[in-house]
Amino acid sequence: MQSSAATIESGQTPITLDWDYLQAGYAAKLKGKVDWKVTVPSDGIYSNFYAQGVSKTAPHPAAARLWEEFLYSDEGQNLFLKGLSRPARLPKMEAAGTADKTALAALPKVEGDVKFPTDAQVNDAKKILADEWAKALG
């Protein structure tokens, strides 16, 4: 079952394993309804990037490129940050003092080395979850 704020509030999903920005969003949305705690483990910390592209055959590829420029500007990156995700340029923005400090303080705390999984690791993990999840829940 895919977790959501609704399944958490109803009690269907009392625990979830998901990206920290989704968990932090649930906690904010459920404030006053459910005491939802976000915990990032100190080992096995993984991250990943979302990829976007601009098609050279798009009706208005210049508009798409401008949109990408905006997304990677400080303003655009701070919008990701306000959405409780860690933007790609966050380390540079922190060094330059351009990261939104209030939004930054709202992120779940992460301690330890963050790793990026390989495609093989992601596929292996998906298979293990598909094969073992139902057994683990009883």
Side-chain angles (χ1 to χ4, degrees):
M1 168 189 295
Q2 178 66 40
S3 63
S4 69
T7 64
I8 293 167
E9 185 174 6
S10 73
Q12 288 176 287
T13 50
I15 186 171
T16 66
L17 302 173
D18 218 332
W19 299 111
D20 67 342
Y21 73 92
L22 294 174
Q23 297 294 328
Y26 297 157
K29 189 171 191 175
L30 295 168
K31 192 172 187 170
K33 298 177 187 175
V34 175
D35 185 21
W36 193 248
K37 302 252 188 281
V38 179
T39 303
V40 177
S42 60
D43 62 343
I45 303 170
Y46 284 92
S47 185
N48 220 335
F49 293 104
Y50 284 95
Q52 294 181 325
V54 175
S55 172
K56 69 179 181 179
T57 61
H60 303 287
R65 285 191 298 273
L66 287 172
W67 174 244
E68 292 293 319
E69 285 182 28
F70 169 75
L71 288 178
Y72 292 100
S73 70
D74 287 349
E75 183 180 1
Q77 294 284 282
N78 274 315
L79 289 175
F80 282 109
L81 190 55
K82 288 176 184 175
L84 301 170
S85 66
R86 299 170 199 279
R89 292 188 48 248
L90 184 57
K92 296 282 185 185
M93 292 171 60
E94 286 180 292
T98 58
D100 182 303
K101 289 174 183 34
T102 302
L104 190 57
L107 295 178
K109 301 298 177 226
V110 175
E111 294 179 14
D113 293 329
V114 179
K115 299 173 186 85
F116 289 84
T118 65
D119 287 341
Q121 288 172 319
V122 170
N123 291 332
D124 288 348
K126 285 180 185 178
K127 182 171 179 1
I128 291 168
L129 283 173
D131 293 346
E132 303 294 329
W133 188 256
K135 287 187 256 180
L137 295 179

